[in-house]
Amino acid sequence: MKGRAVFESMKPDARVCDVARRYGVKAQQLTRWRRLARAGRLALVTDDAADFVSIELSDPAASGKSEGPVEITIGKVSVRLDADVSAVRIAEIVTAIERGA
């Protein structure tokens, strides 16, 4: 229930208070869950099929351990991150870029 409520509350034009009311929780509780989700400590639940993105390696011979920065390019937006950024944080950034945040 938590993950689904958080997912719904993050949709464009969704209001935290409306979603919280639908799930029978206080808006403050839903806000805490949203914070946990952003920190990668709460999984979101969707009814949608999973989306996949193509990944292009700049050096296909490279091992799984990256020494340099991670670069994410979606359309005209490019973001460069340190190599030690967590996968959860990278996923949050990609989601934000795709939503136009």
Coordinates of all heavy atoms in Angstrom, one line a residue:
M1 N 0.8 -1.2 0.0 CA 0.0 0.0 0.0 C 0.9 1.3 0.0 O 0.6 2.2 -0.7 CB -0.9 0.0 1.2 CG -1.7 1.3 1.3 SD -2.5 1.6 2.8 CE -1.3 2.3 3.8
K2 N 1.9 1.3 0.8 CA 2.8 2.5 0.9 C 3.4 2.8 -0.5 O 3.3 4.0 -0.9 CB 4.0 2.2 1.9 CG 3.6 2.1 3.3 CD 4.8 1.9 4.1 CE 4.5 1.6 5.5 NZ 5.7 1.3 6.3
G3 N 4.0 1.8 -1.1 CA 4.6 2.1 -2.4 C 3.6 2.6 -3.5 O 3.9 3.4 -4.3
R4 N 2.4 2.0 -3.5 CA 1.4 2.4 -4.5 C 0.9 3.8 -4.2 O 0.8 4.7 -5.1 CB 0.2 1.5 -4.4 CG -0.8 1.7 -5.5 CD -1.8 0.6 -5.6 NE -1.3 -0.7 -5.7 CZ -0.9 -1.3 -6.8 NH1 -1.0 -0.6 -7.9 NH2 -0.5 -2.5 -6.8
A5 N 0.7 4.2 -2.9 CA 0.3 5.5 -2.5 C 1.4 6.5 -2.9 O 1.1 7.6 -3.5 CB 0.0 5.6 -1.0
V6 N 2.6 6.2 -2.7 CA 3.7 7.1 -3.0 C 3.8 7.3 -4.5 O 3.9 8.4 -5.0 CB 5.1 6.6 -2.5 CG1 6.2 7.4 -3.0 CG2 5.1 6.7 -0.9
F7 N 3.7 6.2 -5.3 CA 3.7 6.3 -6.7 C 2.6 7.2 -7.2 O 2.9 8.1 -8.1 CB 3.6 4.9 -7.3 CG 3.6 4.9 -8.8 CD1 4.8 5.1 -9.5 CD2 2.4 4.7 -9.5 CE1 4.8 5.1 -10.9 CE2 2.4 4.7 -10.9 CZ 3.6 4.9 -11.6
E8 N 1.4 7.0 -6.7 CA 0.3 7.8 -7.2 C 0.5 9.3 -6.8 O 0.2 10.2 -7.6 CB -1.0 7.4 -6.5 CG -1.6 6.1 -7.2 CD -2.9 5.7 -6.6 OE1 -3.7 6.6 -6.1 OE2 -3.2 4.5 -6.6
S9 N 1.1 9.6 -5.7 CA 1.3 10.9 -5.2 C 2.4 11.7 -6.1 O 2.4 12.9 -6.0 CB 1.7 11.0 -3.7 OG 3.0 10.6 -3.5
M10 N 3.2 10.9 -6.8 CA 4.3 11.5 -7.6 C 3.8 11.8 -9.0 O 4.6 12.3 -9.8 CB 5.5 10.7 -7.5 CG 6.2 10.7 -6.1 SD 7.7 9.8 -6.1 CE 8.3 10.2 -4.5
K11 N 2.6 11.4 -9.4 CA 2.2 11.6 -10.7 C 1.9 13.1 -10.9 O 1.6 13.8 -10.0 CB 0.9 10.9 -11.0 CG 1.1 9.4 -11.1 CD -0.3 8.7 -11.4 CE -0.1 7.2 -11.5 NZ -1.3 6.5 -11.8
P12 N 2.1 13.6 -12.2 CA 1.8 15.0 -12.4 C 0.4 15.4 -12.0 O -0.5 14.6 -12.1 CB 2.0 15.1 -13.9 CG 2.8 13.9 -14.3 CD 2.5 12.9 -13.3
D13 N 0.2 16.5 -11.4 CA -1.1 17.1 -11.0 C -1.7 16.3 -9.8 O -2.8 16.6 -9.4 CB -2.1 17.1 -12.1 CG -1.6 18.0 -13.3 OD1 -1.0 19.0 -13.0 OD2 -1.9 17.6 -14.4
A14 N -0.9 15.4 -9.2 CA -1.5 14.7 -8.0 C -1.2 15.6 -6.8 O -0.2 16.3 -6.7 CB -0.8 13.3 -7.8
R15 N -2.1 15.6 -5.8 CA -2.0 16.3 -4.6 C -1.8 15.3 -3.4 O -2.6 14.4 -3.3 CB -3.2 17.2 -4.3 CG -3.2 18.4 -5.3 CD -4.4 19.2 -5.1 NE -5.0 19.1 -3.8 CZ -5.8 20.0 -3.3 NH1 -6.2 21.0 -4.0 NH2 -6.3 19.8 -2.1
V16 N -0.8 15.5 -2.6 CA -0.5 14.6 -1.5 C -1.7 14.4 -0.6 O -2.1 13.3 -0.2 CB 0.7 15.1 -0.7 CG1 0.9 14.3 0.6 CG2 2.0 15.0 -1.5
C17 N -2.4 15.5 -0.3 CA -3.6 15.4 0.6 C -4.7 14.6 0.0 O -5.3 13.8 0.7 CB -4.1 16.8 1.0 SG -4.6 17.8 -0.4
D18 N -4.9 14.7 -1.3 CA -5.9 13.8 -2.0 C -5.6 12.4 -2.0 O -6.4 11.5 -1.7 CB -6.2 14.3 -3.4 CG -6.8 15.7 -3.5 OD1 -7.4 16.2 -2.5 OD2 -6.6 16.4 -4.5
V19 N -4.3 12.1 -2.3 CA -3.9 10.7 -2.3 C -3.9 10.1 -0.9 O -4.4 9.0 -0.7 CB -2.5 10.5 -2.9 CG1 -2.0 9.1 -2.9 CG2 -2.5 11.0 -4.4
A20 N -3.5 10.8 0.1 CA -3.5 10.4 1.5 C -4.9 10.1 1.9 O -5.1 9.0 2.5 CB -2.9 11.4 2.4
R21 N -5.8 10.9 1.6 CA -7.2 10.7 1.9 C -7.7 9.4 1.3 O -8.4 8.6 2.0 CB -8.1 11.9 1.5 CG -9.5 11.8 2.0 CD -10.3 13.1 1.7 NE -9.6 14.3 2.0 CZ -9.2 15.2 1.1 NH1 -9.4 15.0 -0.2 NH2 -8.6 16.3 1.5
R22 N -7.4 9.1 0.0 CA -7.8 7.9 -0.6 C -7.3 6.7 0.1 O -8.0 5.6 0.1 CB -7.4 7.9 -2.1 CG -8.4 8.4 -3.1 CD -8.1 8.0 -4.5 NE -6.8 8.3 -5.0 CZ -6.4 9.5 -5.4 NH1 -7.2 10.5 -5.4 NH2 -5.1 9.6 -5.9
Y23 N -6.1 6.7 0.6 CA -5.5 5.6 1.3 C -5.7 5.6 2.8 O -5.2 4.7 3.5 CB -4.0 5.5 0.9 CG -3.7 5.0 -0.4 CD1 -3.7 5.8 -1.5 CD2 -3.5 3.6 -0.6 CE1 -3.5 5.3 -2.8 CE2 -3.3 3.1 -1.9 CZ -3.3 4.0 -3.0 OH -3.1 3.5 -4.2
G24 N -6.4 6.5 3.3 CA -6.8 6.6 4.7 C -5.6 6.9 5.6 O -5.6 6.3 6.7
V25 N -4.7 7.7 5.1 CA -3.5 8.1 6.0 C -3.5 9.6 6.0 O -4.1 10.3 5.2 CB -2.2 7.5 5.5 CG1 -2.2 6.0 5.5 CG2 -1.9 8.0 4.1
K26 N -2.7 10.1 6.9 CA -2.5 11.6 7.0 C -1.5 12.0 5.9 O -0.6 11.2 5.6 CB -2.0 12.0 8.4 CG -3.0 11.7 9.4 CD -2.6 12.2 10.8 CE -3.6 11.8 11.8 NZ -4.0 12.9 12.7
A27 N -1.6 13.2 5.5 CA -0.7 13.7 4.4 C 0.7 13.7 4.9 O 1.7 13.4 4.2 CB -1.1 15.1 4.0
Q28 N 0.9 14.0 6.2 CA 2.3 14.0 6.8 C 2.9 12.6 6.7 O 4.1 12.5 6.4 CB 2.3 14.4 8.2 CG 1.9 15.8 8.5 CD 0.4 16.0 8.6 OE1 -0.4 15.1 8.3 NE2 -0.1 17.2 9.0
Q29 N 2.1 11.5 6.9 CA 2.7 10.2 6.8 C 3.1 9.9 5.3 O 4.1 9.3 5.1 CB 1.6 9.1 7.2 CG 2.1 7.7 7.2 CD 3.3 7.5 8.1 OE1 3.2 7.8 9.3 NE2 4.4 6.9 7.6
L30 N 2.2 10.3 4.4 CA 2.5 10.1 3.0 C 3.8 10.8 2.6 O 4.6 10.4 1.8 CB 1.4 10.5 2.1 CG 1.5 10.3 0.6 CD1 2.0 8.9 0.2 CD2 0.2 10.7 -0.1
T31 N 3.9 12.0 3.1 CA 5.1 12.8 2.9 C 6.4 12.1 3.4 O 7.4 12.1 2.7 CB 5.0 14.2 3.5 OG1 3.9 14.9 2.9 CG2 6.3 15.1 3.3
R32 N 6.3 11.5 4.6 CA 7.4 10.7 5.1 C 7.8 9.5 4.2 O 8.9 9.2 3.9 CB 7.1 10.2 6.5 CG 7.5 11.2 7.6 CD 7.3 10.6 9.0 NE 6.5 11.5 9.7 CZ 5.3 11.3 10.2 NH1 4.7 10.1 10.0 NH2 4.6 12.2 10.8
W33 N 6.7 8.8 3.7 CA 7.0 7.7 2.8 C 7.6 8.2 1.5 O 8.5 7.5 0.9 CB 5.6 7.0 2.4 CG 5.0 6.3 3.6 CD1 5.6 6.0 4.8 CD2 3.6 5.9 3.7 NE1 4.6 5.4 5.6 CE2 3.5 5.3 4.9 CE3 2.6 6.0 2.8 CZ2 2.2 4.7 5.3 CZ3 1.4 5.4 3.2 CH2 1.2 4.8 4.4
R34 N 7.2 9.4 1.0 CA 7.8 9.9 -0.2 C 9.3 10.2 0.0 O 10.1 9.9 -0.9 CB 7.1 11.2 -0.6 CG 5.7 11.0 -1.2 CD 4.9 12.3 -1.3 NE 5.6 13.3 -2.0 CZ 5.4 13.8 -3.2 NH1 4.4 13.1 -3.9 NH2 6.0 14.8 -3.7
R35 N 9.6 10.7 1.2 CA 11.0 10.9 1.5 C 11.8 9.6 1.5 O 12.9 9.6 1.0 CB 11.1 11.6 2.9 CG 11.8 13.0 2.8 CD 11.9 13.7 4.1 NE 10.9 14.7 4.2 CZ 10.0 14.8 5.2 NH1 10.0 13.9 6.2 NH2 9.1 15.7 5.2
L36 N 11.3 8.6 2.1 CA 11.9 7.3 2.1 C 12.1 6.7 0.7 O 13.1 6.2 0.4 CB 11.1 6.3 2.9 CG 11.0 6.5 4.4 CD1 10.0 5.5 5.1 CD2 12.4 6.2 5.0
A37 N 11.1 6.9 -0.2 CA 11.2 6.5 -1.5 C 12.3 7.2 -2.3 O 13.1 6.6 -3.0 CB 9.9 6.6 -2.3
R38 N 12.4 8.5 -2.1 CA 13.5 9.3 -2.7 C 14.9 8.9 -2.2 O 15.8 8.9 -3.0 CB 13.3 10.8 -2.5 CG 12.2 11.4 -3.4 CD 12.3 12.9 -3.3 NE 10.9 13.4 -3.3 CZ 10.2 13.8 -2.3 NH1 10.8 13.9 -1.1 NH2 9.0 14.2 -2.4
A39 N 14.9 8.4 -1.0 CA 16.2 7.9 -0.4 C 16.5 6.5 -0.8 O 17.5 6.0 -0.4 CB 16.2 8.1 1.1
G40 N 15.6 5.9 -1.6 CA 15.8 4.5 -2.0 C 15.5 3.5 -0.9 O 15.9 2.3 -1.0
R41 N 14.7 3.9 0.1 CA 14.4 3.0 1.2 C 13.0 2.5 1.2 O 12.5 1.8 2.1 CB 14.7 3.7 2.5 CG 16.2 4.1 2.7 CD 16.5 4.8 3.9 NE 16.1 4.1 5.1 CZ 15.8 4.7 6.2 NH1 15.9 6.0 6.4 NH2 15.5 3.9 7.3
L42 N 12.2 2.8 0.1 CA 10.9 2.3 -0.1 C 10.6 2.1 -1.5 O 10.8 3.1 -2.3 CB 9.9 3.4 0.5 CG 8.4 3.0 0.4 CD1 8.0 1.9 1.3 CD2 7.5 4.2 0.7
A43 N 10.2 0.9 -1.9 CA 10.0 0.6 -3.3 C 8.6 1.1 -3.8 O 7.6 1.0 -3.0 CB 10.1 -0.9 -3.6
L44 N 8.5 1.7 -5.0 CA 7.3 2.1 -5.5 C 6.6 1.0 -6.2 O 7.2 0.1 -6.8 CB 7.5 3.3 -6.5 CG 8.2 4.5 -6.0 CD1 8.3 5.5 -7.0 CD2 7.5 5.0 -4.8
V45 N 5.2 0.9 -6.2 CA 4.5 -0.1 -6.8 C 3.6 0.5 -7.9 O 2.9 1.5 -7.7 CB 3.5 -0.8 -5.8 CG1 2.7 -1.9 -6.4 CG2 4.3 -1.4 -4.6
T46 N 3.7 -0.1 -9.1 CA 2.9 0.4 -10.2 C 2.2 -0.8 -10.9 O 2.5 -1.9 -10.7 CB 3.8 1.0 -11.3 OG1 4.5 0.0 -11.9 CG2 4.7 2.0 -10.7
D47 N 1.1 -0.5 -11.6 CA 0.4 -1.5 -12.4 C 0.9 -1.5 -13.8 O 0.6 -2.3 -14.6 CB -1.1 -1.1 -12.4 CG -1.7 -1.3 -11.0 OD1 -1.3 -2.2 -10.3 OD2 -2.7 -0.6 -10.7
D48 N 1.8 -0.5 -14.1 CA 2.3 -0.4 -15.5 C 3.4 -1.5 -15.8 O 4.1 -1.9 -14.8 CB 3.0 1.0 -15.7 CG 2.0 2.1 -15.5 OD1 0.7 1.8 -15.6 OD2 2.4 3.2 -15.1
A49 N 3.5 -1.8 -17.0 CA 4.6 -2.7 -17.4 C 5.9 -2.0 -17.2 O 6.0 -0.8 -17.4 CB 4.4 -3.1 -18.9
A50 N 7.0 -2.7 -17.0 CA 8.3 -2.1 -16.8 C 8.8 -1.5 -18.1 O 8.6 -2.0 -19.2 CB 9.3 -3.1 -16.3
D51 N 9.4 -0.3 -18.0 CA 10.0 0.3 -19.1 C 11.5 0.0 -19.2 O 12.1 -0.2 -18.1 CB 9.9 1.9 -19.0 CG 8.5 2.3 -19.2 OD1 7.7 1.7 -19.9 OD2 8.2 3.4 -18.7
F52 N 12.0 -0.2 -20.3 CA 13.4 -0.5 -20.5 C 14.1 0.6 -21.3 O 13.4 1.1 -22.2 CB 13.6 -1.9 -21.2 CG 13.2 -3.0 -20.3 CD1 11.9 -3.5 -20.4 CD2 14.0 -3.6 -19.4 CE1 11.4 -4.6 -19.6 CE2 13.6 -4.6 -18.6 CZ 12.3 -5.1 -18.7
V53 N 15.3 0.9 -21.0 CA 16.0 1.8 -21.8 C 17.3 1.2 -22.3 O 17.8 0.2 -21.7 CB 16.4 3.1 -20.9 CG1 15.2 3.8 -20.4 CG2 17.3 2.6 -19.7
S54 N 17.7 1.6 -23.5 CA 18.9 1.1 -24.0 C 20.1 1.8 -23.4 O 20.1 2.9 -23.0 CB 19.0 1.3 -25.5 OG 19.0 2.7 -25.8
I55 N 21.1 1.0 -23.2 CA 22.4 1.5 -22.5 C 23.5 1.4 -23.6 O 23.7 0.3 -24.2 CB 22.7 0.7 -21.3 CG1 21.6 0.9 -20.2 CG2 24.1 1.2 -20.7 CD1 21.8 0.1 -19.0
E56 N 24.2 2.5 -23.7 CA 25.3 2.5 -24.7 C 26.6 2.7 -23.9 O 26.8 3.7 -23.2 CB 25.1 3.6 -25.7 CG 26.0 3.5 -26.9 CD 25.6 4.7 -27.8 OE1 24.4 4.8 -28.1 OE2 26.5 5.4 -28.3
L57 N 27.5 1.7 -24.0 CA 28.8 1.8 -23.3 C 29.8 2.6 -24.2 O 29.9 2.3 -25.3 CB 29.4 0.4 -23.0 CG 28.5 -0.5 -22.1 CD1 29.2 -1.9 -22.0 CD2 28.4 0.2 -20.7
S58 N 30.4 3.5 -23.5 CA 31.4 4.3 -24.3 C 32.7 3.4 -24.5 O 33.5 3.7 -25.4 CB 31.7 5.6 -23.6 OG 32.2 5.3 -22.3
D59 N 32.9 2.5 -23.6 CA 34.1 1.6 -23.7 C 33.6 0.2 -23.4 O 33.6 -0.3 -22.2 CB 35.2 2.0 -22.7 CG 36.4 1.1 -22.8 OD1 36.5 0.3 -23.7 OD2 37.3 1.3 -22.0
P60 N 33.1 -0.6 -24.4 CA 32.6 -1.9 -24.2 C 33.5 -2.9 -23.5 O 33.1 -3.8 -22.9 CB 32.2 -2.4 -25.6 CG 32.2 -1.2 -26.4 CD 33.1 -0.2 -25.8
A61 N 34.8 -2.6 -23.6 CA 35.8 -3.5 -23.0 C 36.0 -3.3 -21.5 O 36.7 -4.0 -20.8 CB 37.1 -3.4 -23.7
A62 N 35.4 -2.2 -21.0 CA 35.5 -1.9 -19.6 C 34.9 -2.9 -18.7 O 33.9 -3.6 -19.1 CB 34.9 -0.5 -19.3
S63 N 35.5 -3.1 -17.6 CA 34.9 -4.1 -16.6 C 33.7 -3.5 -15.9 O 33.4 -2.3 -16.2 CB 36.0 -4.4 -15.6 OG 36.3 -3.3 -14.8
G64 N 33.1 -4.2 -15.1 CA 31.9 -3.7 -14.4 C 32.2 -2.6 -13.4 O 31.3 -1.8 -13.0
K65 N 33.4 -2.4 -13.0 CA 33.8 -1.3 -12.1 C 34.2 -0.1 -12.9 O 35.1 -0.1 -13.7 CB 34.9 -1.8 -11.2 CG 35.3 -0.8 -10.1 CD 35.6 -1.4 -8.8 CE 36.0 -0.4 -7.8 NZ 35.2 -0.2 -6.8
S66 N 33.5 1.0 -12.6 CA 33.8 2.2 -13.3 C 34.8 3.1 -12.5 O 34.7 3.2 -11.3 CB 32.5 3.0 -13.5 OG 32.8 4.2 -14.1
E67 N 35.8 3.6 -13.2 CA 36.8 4.5 -12.6 C 36.4 5.9 -12.8 O 36.8 6.8 -12.0 CB 38.2 4.2 -13.3 CG 38.7 2.8 -13.0 CD 39.0 2.6 -11.5 OE1 39.5 3.5 -10.8 OE2 38.8 1.5 -11.0
G68 N 35.7 6.2 -13.9 CA 35.4 7.6 -14.2 C 34.0 7.9 -13.9 O 33.2 7.1 -13.3
P69 N 33.5 9.1 -14.3 CA 32.2 9.5 -14.0 C 31.1 8.8 -14.8 O 31.4 8.2 -15.8 CB 32.2 11.0 -14.4 CG 33.3 11.1 -15.4 CD 34.3 10.1 -15.0
V70 N 29.9 8.8 -14.3 CA 28.7 8.2 -15.0 C 28.1 9.3 -15.7 O 27.8 10.4 -15.2 CB 27.8 7.6 -14.0 CG1 26.5 7.1 -14.7 CG2 28.4 6.5 -13.2
E71 N 27.8 9.2 -17.0 CA 27.1 10.2 -17.8 C 25.8 9.7 -18.3 O 25.7 8.6 -18.9 CB 27.9 10.7 -19.0 CG 27.3 11.8 -19.7 CD 28.3 12.4 -20.7 OE1 29.5 12.3 -20.6 OE2 27.7 13.1 -21.6
I72 N 24.7 10.4 -18.0 CA 23.4 10.1 -18.4 C 22.9 11.1 -19.4 O 22.9 12.3 -19.1 CB 22.4 10.0 -17.2 CG1 22.8 9.1 -16.1 CG2 21.0 9.7 -17.7 CD1 22.1 9.2 -14.8
T73 N 22.5 10.6 -20.6 CA 22.0 11.6 -21.6 C 20.6 11.1 -22.0 O 20.4 10.0 -22.5 CB 22.9 11.6 -22.8 OG1 24.2 12.0 -22.4 CG2 22.4 12.6 -23.9
I74 N 19.6 12.0 -21.9 CA 18.2 11.7 -22.3 C 17.8 12.9 -23.1 O 17.7 14.0 -22.5 CB 17.3 11.4 -21.1 CG1 17.8 10.2 -20.3 CG2 15.9 11.3 -21.6 CD1 17.0 10.0 -19.0
G75 N 17.6 12.7 -24.4 CA 17.3 13.9 -25.2 C 18.4 14.9 -25.2 O 19.5 14.6 -25.5
K76 N 18.0 16.1 -24.9 CA 19.0 17.2 -24.8 C 19.7 17.4 -23.5 O 20.5 18.3 -23.3 CB 18.4 18.5 -25.3 CG 17.9 18.5 -26.7 CD 17.2 19.8 -27.1 CE 16.8 19.8 -28.5 NZ 16.1 21.1 -28.9
V77 N 19.3 16.6 -22.5 CA 19.7 16.7 -21.1 C 20.9 15.7 -20.9 O 20.7 14.5 -21.1 CB 18.6 16.5 -20.1 CG1 19.1 16.6 -18.7 CG2 17.5 17.5 -20.3
S78 N 22.0 16.2 -20.4 CA 23.1 15.3 -20.0 C 23.4 15.6 -18.5 O 23.5 16.8 -18.1 CB 24.3 15.6 -20.8 OG 24.1 15.1 -22.1
V79 N 23.7 14.6 -17.8 CA 24.1 14.7 -16.4 C 25.3 13.8 -16.1 O 25.3 12.7 -16.5 CB 22.9 14.2 -15.4 CG1 23.3 14.3 -14.0 CG2 21.6 15.0 -15.7
R80 N 26.3 14.4 -15.5 CA 27.5 13.7 -15.2 C 27.6 13.5 -13.7 O 27.5 14.5 -13.0 CB 28.7 14.5 -15.7 CG 30.0 13.7 -15.6 CD 31.1 14.5 -16.3 NE 30.9 14.4 -17.7 CZ 31.8 13.9 -18.6 NH1 32.9 13.4 -18.2 NH2 31.5 14.0 -19.9
L81 N 27.8 12.3 -13.3 CA 27.9 11.9 -11.8 C 29.2 11.2 -11.5 O 29.8 10.6 -12.3 CB 26.7 11.0 -11.5 CG 25.3 11.5 -11.8 CD1 24.3 10.4 -11.8 CD2 24.9 12.6 -10.9
D82 N 29.6 11.3 -10.2 CA 30.7 10.6 -9.8 C 30.5 9.1 -9.9 O 29.3 8.6 -9.8 CB 31.0 10.9 -8.3 CG 31.5 12.3 -8.1 OD1 32.1 12.9 -9.1 OD2 31.4 12.9 -7.0
A83 N 31.5 8.3 -10.0 CA 31.4 6.9 -10.2 C 30.8 6.2 -9.0 O 30.2 5.1 -9.2 CB 32.8 6.3 -10.5
D84 N 30.9 6.7 -7.8 CA 30.4 6.1 -6.6 C 28.9 6.4 -6.3 O 28.4 6.0 -5.3 CB 31.2 6.4 -5.4 CG 31.2 7.9 -5.1 OD1 30.7 8.7 -5.9 OD2 31.7 8.3 -4.0
V85 N 28.2 7.0 -7.3 CA 26.8 7.3 -7.1 C 26.0 5.9 -7.1 O 26.2 5.1 -7.9 CB 26.2 8.2 -8.1 CG1 24.7 8.4 -8.0 CG2 26.9 9.6 -8.0
S86 N 25.0 5.8 -6.2 CA 24.3 4.5 -6.1 C 23.3 4.4 -7.3 O 22.9 5.4 -7.9 CB 23.5 4.5 -4.8 OG 22.4 5.4 -4.9
A87 N 23.0 3.1 -7.5 CA 22.1 2.8 -8.6 C 20.7 3.4 -8.4 O 20.0 3.9 -9.3 CB 22.0 1.3 -8.8
V88 N 20.3 3.5 -7.1 CA 19.0 4.0 -6.7 C 19.0 5.5 -7.1 O 18.0 6.0 -7.7 CB 18.7 3.8 -5.2 CG1 17.5 4.6 -4.8 CG2 18.6 2.4 -4.9
R89 N 20.1 6.2 -6.8 CA 20.1 7.7 -7.1 C 20.1 7.9 -8.6 O 19.5 8.8 -9.0 CB 21.4 8.3 -6.4 CG 21.4 9.8 -6.6 CD 20.3 10.5 -5.8 NE 20.4 11.9 -6.1 CZ 19.3 12.6 -6.3 NH1 18.1 12.1 -6.3 NH2 19.4 13.9 -6.5
I90 N 20.8 7.1 -9.3 CA 20.8 7.2 -10.8 C 19.4 7.0 -11.3 O 19.0 7.8 -12.2 CB 21.8 6.2 -11.4 CG1 23.3 6.6 -11.1 CG2 21.6 6.1 -12.9 CD1 24.3 5.6 -11.4
A91 N 18.7 6.0 -10.8 CA 17.3 5.7 -11.2 C 16.4 6.9 -10.9 O 15.6 7.3 -11.7 CB 16.8 4.5 -10.6
E92 N 16.6 7.6 -9.8 CA 15.8 8.7 -9.4 C 16.1 9.9 -10.4 O 15.1 10.6 -10.8 CB 16.2 9.2 -8.0 CG 15.7 8.3 -6.9 CD 16.3 8.7 -5.5 OE1 17.2 9.5 -5.4 OE2 15.7 8.1 -4.5
I93 N 17.3 10.1 -10.7 CA 17.7 11.2 -11.6 C 17.1 10.9 -13.0 O 16.5 11.8 -13.6 CB 19.2 11.3 -11.7 CG1 19.7 11.9 -10.4 CG2 19.6 12.2 -12.8 CD1 21.2 11.8 -10.2
V94 N 17.2 9.7 -13.5 CA 16.6 9.3 -14.8 C 15.1 9.6 -14.8 O 14.6 10.2 -15.7 CB 17.0 7.9 -15.2 CG1 16.1 7.4 -16.4 CG2 18.4 7.7 -15.5
T95 N 14.4 9.1 -13.7 CA 13.0 9.3 -13.6 C 12.6 10.8 -13.6 O 11.7 11.3 -14.3 CB 12.5 8.7 -12.4 OG1 12.8 7.3 -12.4 CG2 11.0 8.9 -12.2
A96 N 13.4 11.6 -12.9 CA 13.1 13.1 -12.9 C 13.3 13.7 -14.2 O 12.5 14.5 -14.6 CB 14.0 13.7 -11.8
I97 N 14.4 13.3 -14.9 CA 14.6 13.9 -16.3 C 13.5 13.5 -17.2 O 13.0 14.3 -18.0 CB 16.0 13.4 -16.8 CG1 17.1 14.0 -16.0 CG2 16.1 13.8 -18.3 CD1 18.5 13.4 -16.3
E98 N 13.1 12.2 -17.2 CA 12.0 11.8 -18.1 C 10.7 12.5 -17.8 O 9.9 12.7 -18.7 CB 11.8 10.3 -17.9 CG 12.9 9.5 -18.6 CD 12.8 8.0 -18.4 OE1 12.1 7.6 -17.5 OE2 13.4 7.3 -19.2
R99 N 10.4 12.8 -16.5 CA 9.2 13.5 -16.1 C 9.3 15.0 -16.4 O 8.3 15.7 -16.2 CB 8.9 13.3 -14.7 CG 8.4 11.9 -14.4 CD 8.0 11.8 -12.9 NE 7.6 10.4 -12.7 CZ 7.4 9.9 -11.5 NH1 7.6 10.7 -10.4 NH2 7.0 8.7 -11.3
G100 N 10.5 15.5 -16.7 CA 10.7 16.9 -17.0 C 10.8 17.7 -15.8 O 10.5 18.9 -15.8
A101 N 11.2 17.1 -14.7 CA 11.3 17.9 -13.4 C 12.6 18.8 -13.4 O 13.5 18.6 -14.2 CB 11.4 16.9 -12.2

